[in-house]
Amino acid sequence: MLSGHLEANIYEKVVELARRRGFFWTAYEIYGGVGGFYALGDLGVKLRDRIVELWKQLFVKGHGFLLVDTPSIGPHSVFKASGHVDNFKDPMAECGVCGRKYRADHLLRDSGIRVSEGASTEEMEGLLNGNGVRCPECGSSRWRVRMFPTMFETRIGPYSESTGFLRPETAQGMFVEFRRIYETARERMPLGVAQIGRGFRNEISPRQTMVRLREFNMMELEVFTNPEEGCRYLAGLENEELALVTEDMAKRGEHAPLTIGVHDALSQGLIKNEWLAYFMVLSKRFLRLLGVHHDKQRFWGKPPEERAHYSQQTFDHEVLIPGLGWVEVAGLAYRTDYDLRAHSKASGKDLHVSMRTAEPKTEKMMRWRIKDMMELKEILGDKLKEFMELFEEHKDDERFPELIGSRLGIDVDELPLEAEEKVETVHVKRFYPHVIEPSYGLERLMLATLSWAYGIREGNRIVLSLPPYVAPIQVAVFPLITRDGLPEKAKEVVRKLSERFDVLYDEGGSIGRRYARVDEIGVPYAVTVDHRTLEDNTVTLRSRDDWSQIRVELGELEDELEELLSLPNLETTR
RNA sequence: GCGGCGGUCGUCUAGCCCGGUCUAGGACGCUGGCCUCCCAAGCCAGUGGUCGCGGGUUCGAAUCCCGCCCGCCGCACCA
């Protein structure tokens, strides 16, 4: 009944509704607006908070995971260590004459010059100047190429050398504070740490109100796991189906997803980590609970060149939004031990965890030993420092000689090295936890939720069929007419209900108009006080979705509403 | 960032090509009142726009010209 025929422009309709009724709108409107920033109104805040609550319920509370909150601004050192300073940037070519700026690699490609993926700024600058590439605006051909970080840069305190960055993801806070979080969690493993907060990315071109933002809210969960252990929550979900577009499929241009059971996806190696698979299932259910049907969801495997620098495998959870196409609402990444390892190295602080193994294990270990240091020094000369760095890191690796051969170009047989076998009894396993990260963009979730709730009834009546448990306003109360003491009685009901629900009271216009007004903002239930209420203390309870009405005793109203507004059983969301 | 198109009450829009008749018109919404025993009904009275911003041309600019901002579509980008 809720029609889908206006699918094509539903995005515009949703944005218009959001603005008109106060969910959200472009920020700084009175100054002409600034792209990439938006403001939330009352309904928007309430909707957002309900989505956050649902997320916490599913992702955090259900597993006994922890919540933290860390700063939005971090020092240079943190983002240097995390790899963002080096990777989170674009090459920009600046015209030496007019000062205009372009993407250097695009400029080259547009001029028909081949440029490799990892070309340095010097190489690109050389190519631009060497080939006489002209500035599209002023025609000159003197270029300077620099890297432009996509992070917002700022200063911390009055000292200009103390640069800081606005975090591009909340995740780093959880890695940086890992040591203390781990201790306060009494060294629990697996350990899930969640953070809801803002992230900032200085996007080249923000788009589409809530889709590409420069400042936005994220809900991120970092699950620190023992890489040798699977995910115990997966039990019972092995046959749950996921719609995958794998890296290989994407490469072949196959965009129709493969529907495959979790167990099969894991055993065929399509998903490389059990925890990742588990969160994909959870993610699918989460979006279903927000009103996005399963056939409007898919998981898109990111090829290496599109993945973040820290990721071994990433699936974007995409949902179809009518009028927009497939939109990424979450990134589910297997970050391995990249971040903890990087911060450990950069800070010099030990971020390993150690766990007592079930049984003491006798392990045969092999390691390389230097027989004669003086001789080594003589042979290597000034390569010694580099050798020792590699040696410290890889002395346990059987293939160390090959590594040295390829890195230093030295014939290993000439070095005074010997392989030493050792038998050790180990009670404790020390490792960097491997991290699985489901990360959600809150604004996109809101947009997806609103889009799939949006419908038109009887030609022109907008009905926002939000799932009751995320509706910003949960119940509306109306006096049927504005005399005979009905408004007074209705206000009593409002006072009572306000203790437990977000309530809206309205006595303006006809009853039909009032129902229409609340349908439009997704209020799932309306209570109407009429003359009979004065006689027998019953009211009508009207449902937004089918317009049905039932008569409810005022004494039972709150419990009845509580029931209607509760979360459905998770199993029913498959 | 590039190319194309666009920006007029809260919303949708008329007017722009062919400057003056526009102190910018309408519909819906919103506010107050009347009426009303259940789905945007009716009546009365209100409310509301320096026409995205800035500059120029002109006696006169929503209308013509330039710059900027914002939006949409395509390309690119997208941790």
Side-chain angles (χ1 to χ4, degrees):
Chain A
M1 160 130 58
L2 297 175
S3 68
H5 65 267
L6 35 71
E7 280 188 6
N9 58 6
I10 207 156
Y11 167 72
E12 285 165 42
K13 297 263 186 191
V14 167
V15 170
E16 191 268 311
L17 175 69
R19 190 170 49 226
R20 191 161 45 77
R21 298 305 307 267
F23 283 92
F24 60 81
W25 57 86
T26 308
Y28 308 115
E29 266 180 336
I30 66 164
Y31 287 101
V34 181
F37 300 97
Y38 73 96
L40 281 188
D42 181 65
L43 294 175
V45 172
K46 289 188 165 95
L47 174 64
R48 182 187 71 192
D49 288 353
R50 294 236 148 77
I51 292 175
V52 168
E53 209 41 56
L54 179 61
W55 182 79
K56 280 194 214 167
Q57 195 66 46
L58 256 59
F59 285 83
V60 184
K61 294 178 186 170
H63 307 96
F65 291 160
L66 312 174
L67 286 161
V68 299
D69 195 30
T70 67
S72 299
I73 296 177
H76 182 274
S77 51
V78 166
F79 296 106
K80 177 69 183 170
S82 70
H84 285 92
V85 170
D86 294 323
N87 294 299
F88 204 67
K89 59 188 184 181
D90 296 325
M92 299 286 271
E94 185 175 352
C95 172
V97 173
C98 71
R100 287 192 175 77
K101 290 165 181 149
Y102 307 87
R103 275 287 299 255
D105 48 342
H106 297 173
L107 204 56
L108 283 165
R109 196 199 44 217
D110 294 346
S111 312
I113 299 161
R114 225 173 239 272
V115 57
S116 65
E117 270 296 312
S120 69
T121 54
E122 289 78 16
E123 287 172 64
M124 284 188 268
E125 191 167 298
L127 284 170
L128 283 168
N129 290 324
N131 288 287
V133 174
R134 292 189 176 282
C135 170
E137 287 299 323
C138 77
S140 76
S141 50
R142 265 178 39 216
W143 296 102
R144 209 173 127 228
V145 176
R146 280 180 298 172
M147 282 299 188
F148 264 67
T150 318
M151 286 189 290
F152 283 100
E153 200 174 340
T154 186
R155 311 256 166 245
I156 300 177
Y159 303 102
S160 59
E161 66 270 25
S162 178
T163 61
F165 294 100
L166 275 66
R167 64 182 176 192
E169 55 172 10
T170 72
Q172 291 310 319
M174 297 184 265
F175 300 128
V176 170
E177 309 301 339
F178 175 74
R179 194 73 253 170
R180 200 164 282 283
I181 295 168
Y182 178 61
E183 278 167 16
T184 56
R186 298 180 53 212
E187 309 194 354
R188 190 188 308 170
M189 186 69 35
L191 173 66
V193 184
Q195 174 158 221
I196 297 142
R198 294 196 183 226
F200 307 82
R201 298 175 187 183
N202 204 356
E203 296 285 349
I204 301 168
S205 55
R207 273 285 168 86
Q208 297 153 324
T209 333
M210 294 297 246
V211 178
R212 181 98 40 89
L213 289 161
R214 289 187 166 125
E215 173 176 351
F216 56 102
N217 284 282
M218 302 188 263
M219 302 191 289
E220 297 194 298
L221 173 64
E222 312 299 326
V223 182
F224 297 88
T225 67
N226 179 343
E228 285 176 11
E229 280 173 15
C231 172
R232 60 172 177 257
Y233 297 104
L234 207 50
L237 300 177
E238 295 88 347
N239 295 320
E240 186 93 11
E241 290 188 329
L242 293 171
L244 302 183
V245 179
T246 64
E247 287 172 40
D248 287 344
M249 291 165 67
K251 212 178 291 170
R252 289 197 300 268
E254 289 174 38
H255 293 185
L258 163 75
T259 301
I260 183 167
V262 167
H263 175 81
D264 293 339
L266 281 164
S267 62
Q268 291 174 30
L270 300 179
I271 303 175
K272 293 178 181 167
N273 178 287
E274 283 194 10
W275 283 92
L276 188 58
Y278 169 67
F279 283 116
M280 288 164 78
V281 171
L282 203 56
S283 197
K284 170 187 151 185
R285 291 185 171 185
F286 177 43
L287 267 296
R288 181 68 194 88
L289 283 170
L290 292 178
V292 184
H293 281 273
H294 292 152
D295 60 353
K296 310 296 182 202
Q297 303 185 27
R298 69 182 185 194
F299 292 91
W300 186 277
K302 305 287 278 181
E305 64 272 20
E306 286 180 25
R307 279 203 295 265
H309 55 277
Y310 48 71
S311 170
Q312 179 166 327
Q313 185 174 36
T314 297
F315 281 97
D316 280 349
H317 189 173
E318 299 184 329
V319 302
L320 189 62
I321 295 182
L324 274 187
W326 290 95
V327 172
E328 174 195 350
V329 293
L332 295 110
Y334 179 23
R335 296 181 78 128
T336 68
D337 57 0
Y338 178 92
D339 299 278
L340 287 180
R341 197 177 272 279
H343 284 302
S344 208
K345 190 171 177 198
S347 66
K349 300 295 188 296
D350 183 11
L351 299 180
H352 279 103
V353 304
S354 19
M355 293 184 75
R356 180 171 288 273
T357 48
E359 300 271 315
K361 234 194 296 187
T362 342
E363 274 182 10
K364 255 207 287 191
M365 308 215 329
M366 74 82 51
R367 78 162 44 157
W368 293 93
R369 216 180 68 84
I370 298 165
K371 278 192 291 195
D372 186 335
M373 197 61 188
M374 293 312 287
E375 190 189 339
L376 186 73
K377 213 186 237 174
E378 240 169 69
I379 300 171
L380 288 173
D382 52 6
K383 282 183 180 169
L384 181 70
K385 188 173 176 231
E386 202 176 342
F387 175 88
M388 287 310 291
E389 274 170 19
L390 288 168
F391 182 73
E392 278 309 316
E393 201 169 337
H394 300 281
K395 61 187 171 193
D396 299 334
D397 190 339
E398 258 179 83
R399 299 193 332 228
F400 176 66
E402 295 156 42
L403 183 77
I404 289 300
S406 68
R407 290 276 187 89
L408 299 183
I410 290 168
D411 186 359
V412 188
D413 296 338
E414 290 177 14
L415 297 178
L417 289 174
E418 67 181 358
E420 183 184 60
E421 293 232 328
K422 243 165 90 176
V423 179
E424 268 183 22
T425 309
V426 189
H427 298 267
V428 170
K429 177 179 154 56
R430 280 166 52 83
F431 60 97
Y432 286 108
H434 278 222
V435 172
I436 312 300
E437 174 197 72
S439 169
Y440 292 83
L442 242 179
E443 286 76 8
R444 293 181 179 187
L445 290 176
M446 290 172 72
L447 191 61
T449 304
L450 288 171
S451 296
W452 285 111
Y454 191 97
I456 300 276
R457 205 159 174 170
E458 295 191 346
N460 63 341
R461 282 185 57 162
I462 297 169
V463 179
L464 207 54
S465 307
L466 292 169
Y469 41 84
V470 295
I473 304 288
Q474 296 162 312
V475 54
V477 177
F478 307 137
L480 185 58
I481 57 169
T482 54
R483 346 170 275 238
D484 307 332
L486 262 42
E488 290 73 14
K489 183 70 183 170
K491 283 173 189 169
E492 262 178 52
V493 176
V494 170
R495 270 195 296 280
K496 195 80 202 306
L497 293 179
S498 297
E499 291 171 11
R500 280 162 76 174
F501 308 104
D502 279 289
V503 185
L504 177 150
Y505 173 79
D506 189 1
E507 57 174 48
S510 69
I511 189 71
R513 177 185 295 275
R514 283 176 271 162
Y515 283 141
R517 277 197 285 245
V518 296
D519 282 347
E520 197 176 55
I521 57 171
V523 181
Y525 298 102
V527 168
T528 303
V529 169
D530 55 22
H531 282 88
R532 203 175 132 192
T533 310
L534 302 178
E535 290 161 22
D536 66 2
N537 246 6
T538 61
V539 290
T540 58
L541 182 60
R542 178 259 193 192
S543 156
R544 172 198 67 200
D545 296 328
D546 57 13
W547 296 5
S548 65
Q549 298 195 3
I550 55 171
R551 200 91 202 161
V552 179
E553 293 240 8
L554 274 179
E556 291 163 11
L557 185 58
E558 289 168 76
D559 289 346
E560 176 76 28
L561 281 168
E562 195 78 59
E563 175 73 25
L564 290 168
L565 293 167
S566 66
L567 202 60
N569 184 335
L570 270 191
E571 299 306 308
T572 65
T573 61
R574 291 188 176 192

